[in-house]
């Protein structure tokens, strides 16, 4: 019996020990499983955190204006919250009667900080209520210009390009916001995965902040989509309107261009007609000038009446402005008035030989051109250039207003192409002056006979325009008594463009004729030297024999 009981005790003890061993083995397995699960969970969390870090780096690399604006918004909230705490603390310290020294210093510091934070809030006040107000506001569309002339076409096209560029920038901001929202959604999804593994308050707070940020960005995106659609429609309306006006203006320019081309062709044919049937150079030049001026005036009038809607209004403005313009541009207006006097008065024509007194100098030359503001002359070799200027061949520009303020002499006015020129020779008092005058007259008559006949005909033509009393065209000989002799002055008619040539010929002929006569002596400045020999003096003590 004892053996049975002992064996049962041994068996039960063995059974109990085996149960204890089994329970121990099960606990160790569960612990290992839990440890493995914890490691796996930590590994997943670390992986998710790594993904979050990569997303944050992507957001930081984009340097998004949206994140900067949102960061400014958060900063403004923090500043306002800090200010509220400071104000509460200041109120508490101010209400406290018995303040310690440290509390008094703290109050002064808080008041100074309150002023600083208040100024910051003034700068960030727009960020408190709407962090994306500037980014959500669409580009401003200025008033659409009315295209009324060719220059407005460039303004309209420039406006379309500007609006398209602004809209594209707005669309780029919207696309940037979409990408940012996509990244934020990925972050929230990852935070959800992390919270399913670990419900720590740290991850939960971060997830809530990201969710608030996402809500604000999504709200901004919805607003931006609606705004972009409205802006796109307004842009389409403006573009269509400007394109229609540009098309109408281009059609108008084409019509005006055709009219101007016809005008140019007409005046070109008119110039060919004038060139063919007008052989006189002076008349051809004036006709060509008149045709050119008429062509220019007609083109200006065509453009004027096509692009000026209210002509009376423009005339009124010009009437008020004319006084100031006339003062500021007095010389120009006087030159234009002088041009009218010259052209329509007929006092000076292209090709005429004139002399102009300018600033104490005299210029003699042929008129090459008469423009709206000035005359252009080519300086020739004349007696004036020989005696005074010692220069010739220059192009002289004479303002047209000089006809009112300067002396202008025309050597070839109207049909008159000759001028009086003279040669002066002095003979001695004992010369036969009557014979000298006769010789001078015969020589001048011989060489100026052709010009005398031409001048007689030209003066007869001028009688229709002017009152002519003395029309004697024969050479004139004058004699004058001078200090060194008798001056013989021979005056004759010569070509206005070649006075020096005939003067040279007549001068040499007269000299040769006078030199050939025995009773005519040409006088010229001379000097006579009287040399006196010194008288010999007789010494007081010398005798007659000693005087040699």
């Amino acid at each position: 019996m004892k053996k049975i009981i002992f064996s049962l005790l041994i068996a039960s003890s063995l059974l109990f020990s085996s149960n204890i061993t089994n329970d121990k083995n099960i606990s160790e397995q569960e612990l290992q499983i839990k440890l493995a699960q914890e490691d796996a969970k930590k590994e997943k969390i670390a992986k998710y955190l790594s993904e979050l870090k990569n997303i944050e780096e992507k957001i930081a690399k984009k340097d998004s204006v949206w994140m900067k604006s949102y960061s400014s918004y958060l900063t403004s909230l923090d500043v306002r919250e800090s200010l509220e705490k400071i104000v509460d603390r200041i109120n508490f310290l101010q209400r406290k009667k018995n303040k310690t020294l440290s509390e008094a210093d703290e109050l002064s510091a808080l008041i100074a900080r309150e002023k600083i934070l208040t100024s910051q809030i003034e700068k960030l006040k727009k960020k408190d209520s709407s962090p994306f107000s500037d980014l959500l506001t669409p580009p401003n569309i200025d008033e659409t210009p009315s295209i009324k002339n060719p220059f407005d076409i460039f303004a309209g096209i420039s406006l379309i390009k500007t609006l398209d560029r602004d809209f594209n920038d707005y669309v780029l901001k919207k696309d940037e916001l979409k990408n940012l929202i996509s990244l934020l959604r990925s972050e929230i999804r990852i935070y959800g995965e992390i919270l399913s593994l670990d419900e720590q308050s740290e991850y939960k707070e971060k997830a809530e902040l990201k969710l608030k940020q996402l809500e604000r960005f999504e709200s901004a995106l919805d607003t931006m989509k609606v705004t972009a659609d409205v802006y796109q429609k307004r842009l389409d309306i403006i573009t269509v309107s400007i394109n229609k006006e540009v098309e109408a203006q281009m059609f108008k320019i084409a019509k005006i261009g055709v009219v101007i081309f016809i005008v140019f062709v007409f005046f070109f044919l008119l110039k060919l007609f004038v060139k063919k049937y007008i052989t006189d150079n002076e008349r051809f030049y004036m006709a060509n000038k008149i045709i050119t001026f008429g062509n220019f005036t007609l083109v200006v009038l065509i453009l004027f009446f096509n692009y000026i809607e209210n002509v009376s209004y423009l005339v009124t403005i010009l009437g008020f402005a004319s006084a100031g313009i006339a003062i500021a541009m007095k010389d120009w207006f006087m030159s234009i008035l002088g041009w009218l006097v010259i052209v329509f008065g007929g006092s000076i024509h292209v090709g005429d030989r004139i002399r102009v007194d300018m600033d104490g100098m005299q210029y003699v030359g042929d008129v090459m051109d008469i423009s709206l503001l000035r005359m252009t002359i080519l300086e020739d070799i004349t007696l004036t250039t020989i005696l005074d200027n010692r220069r010739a061949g220059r192009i002289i520009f004479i303002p047209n207003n000089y006809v009112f303020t300067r002396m202008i002499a025309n050597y070839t006015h109207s049909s008159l192409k000759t001028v009086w020129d003279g040669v002066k020779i002095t003979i001695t008092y004992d010369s036969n002056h009557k014979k000298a005058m006769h010789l001078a007259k015969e020589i001048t008559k011989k060489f100026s006979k052709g010009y005398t006949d031409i001048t007689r005909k030209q003066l007869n033509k001028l009688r229709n325009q002017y009152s002519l009393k003395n029309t004697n065209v024969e050479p004139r000989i004058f004699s004058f008594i001078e200090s060194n002799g008798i001056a013989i002055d021979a005056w004759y008619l010569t070509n206005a463009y070649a006075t020096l040539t005939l003067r040279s010929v007549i001068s040499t002929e007269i000299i040769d004729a006078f030199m050939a006569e025995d009773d005519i002596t040409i006088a010229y400045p001379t000097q006579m030297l009287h040399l006196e020999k010194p008288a010999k003096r007789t010494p007081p003590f010398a005798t007659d024999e000693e005087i040699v």
Side-chain angles (χ1 to χ4, degrees), residues 338-406:
W339 176 81
L340 294 174
V341 172
I342 292 170
V343 172
F344 294 101
S347 57
I348 300 173
H349 298 84
V350 173
D352 288 349
R353 171 154 292 193
I354 64 173
R355 188 191 74 189
V356 183
D357 295 341
M358 298 173 58
D359 300 327
M361 295 291 292
Q362 293 182 347
Y363 301 94
V364 179
D366 302 331
V367 179
M368 301 170 58
D369 181 53
I370 301 175
S371 64
L372 197 63
L373 298 177
R374 63 190 179 184
M375 292 182 290
T376 305
I377 68 172
L378 175 62
E379 187 182 25
D380 198 3
I381 299 176
T382 62
L383 189 62
T384 302
T385 59
I386 292 174
L387 298 179
D388 299 330
N389 298 343
R390 302 305 300 174
R391 293 288 186 277
R394 295 174 291 185
I395 304 296
I396 310 298
F397 299 100
I398 304 168
N400 292 335
N401 59 8
Y402 274 27
V403 297
F404 305 114
T405 58
R406 301 288 193 280

Side-chain angles (χ1 to χ4, degrees), residues 406-436:
R406 301 288 193 280
M407 200 284 286
I408 299 179
N410 192 344
Y411 295 131
T412 56
H413 176 63
S414 188
S415 59
L416 198 63
K417 304 297 180 185
T418 56
V419 294
W420 285 93
D421 194 17
V423 176
K424 178 181 177 181
I425 298 178
T426 304
I427 60 176
T428 60
Y429 287 113
D430 57 355
S431 299
N432 188 347
H433 64 278
K434 292 183 178 180
K435 188 177 183 179

